[in-house]
Amino acid sequence: MQEHIRHLFSENIQTMIATSEALAGPIESGALMIVQTLINGGKVICCGEGASANLASHFAQLLLDQFETERPCLPAFALQADHSSLQPANQQNHDYLARQVKALGQAADILVVISLNGAEQSLIRATEAALTNDMKVIALTVDNSSDLSGLLNQQDVELKVPAHRPARVIECYTFLLHCLCELIDMTLFPQQGEF
């Protein structure tokens, strides 16, 4: 069992190294895009499905409250997760996130969409709604997420993690979101952002 534990650590480290080599530039671009959105009076709208919805809430809370140092609150929120238990039996509703984007999103805002496989219909429709509203998008995706990736424009940023195992992807996503938070704080609040 201890050998397996060591293997898990090694797999995590290798995934993180591969991600850092692939995404240093896009992470910087994503952080600067969020900074510019906030400077221009926009807000950060986050969404995910399942486990990634929890990451969306976590990221929004870090922006709204604070990351590692005390600073002013930043306008961010996570879209409400699906309440499919309220839907009639056998009726799937993939529009619950898109409807919130249409109602709450504006051209000055940015959508941060967190996808574990790139094929979640609710996230695809939310992204389509954001693009229709002339919002910019930052998408956290994996290598095989062609459905979601294909929607993005040149103005958008894709943080495509070179991993497929869900546990490693979620670990990378958490770290990427923390990197974004630190870069945002360093840029907007340099005196507080020196760690």
Side-chain angles (χ1 to χ4, degrees), residues 45-54 77-87 91-104 111 113-114 119-127 129:
I45 301 173
C46 309
C47 69
E49 187 176 279
S52 66
N54 293 332
F77 64 91
L79 299 178
Q80 189 173 8
D82 182 22
H83 293 293
S84 56
S85 60
L86 303 177
Q87 299 293 327
Q91 179 180 335
Q92 285 190 323
N93 180 9
H94 297 297
D95 292 328
Y96 61 95
L97 293 174
R99 291 173 62 82
Q100 294 173 68
V101 171
K102 289 175 187 174
L104 303 170
L111 179 71
V113 58
I114 304 172
E120 301 100 324
Q121 286 302 307
S122 62
L123 300 181
I124 289 170
R125 292 184 187 178
T127 302

Side-chain angles (χ1 to χ4, degrees), residues 26-139:
I27 292 167
E28 179 183 20
S29 297
L32 293 175
M33 183 187 295
I34 292 173
V35 166
Q36 197 59 52
T37 294
L38 296 170
I39 289 172
N40 292 339
K43 57 190 175 294
V44 180
I45 301 173
C46 309
C47 69
E49 187 176 279
S52 66
N54 293 332
L55 290 176
S57 294
H58 175 63
F59 184 55
Q61 187 61 44
L62 291 176
L63 293 176
L64 183 64
D65 189 12
Q66 65 182 38
F67 178 53
E68 289 187 326
T69 59
E70 189 172 338
R71 52 133 168 90
C73 298
L74 301 174
F77 64 91
L79 299 178
Q80 189 173 8
D82 182 22
H83 293 293
S84 56
S85 60
L86 303 177
Q87 299 293 327
N90 300 321
Q91 179 180 335
Q92 285 190 323
N93 180 9
H94 297 297
D95 292 328
Y96 61 95
L97 293 174
R99 291 173 62 82
Q100 294 173 68
V101 171
K102 289 175 187 174
L104 303 170
Q106 298 176 348
D109 300 334
I110 191 166
L111 179 71
V112 176
V113 58
I114 304 172
S115 169
L116 291 179
N117 61 36
E120 301 100 324
Q121 286 302 307
S122 62
L123 300 181
I124 289 170
R125 292 184 187 178
T127 302
E128 291 171 340
L131 296 173
T132 299
N133 280 2
D134 294 323
M135 296 168 60
K136 293 180 180 172
V137 175
I138 296 176

Side-chain angles (χ1 to χ4, degrees), residues 116-117 141-146 149 158 160-164 169 173:
L116 291 179
N117 61 36
T141 64
V142 293
D143 278 340
N144 60 349
S145 56
S146 58
S149 297
E158 183 175 21
K160 186 176 280 201
V161 170
H164 297 284
V169 171
Y173 282 179

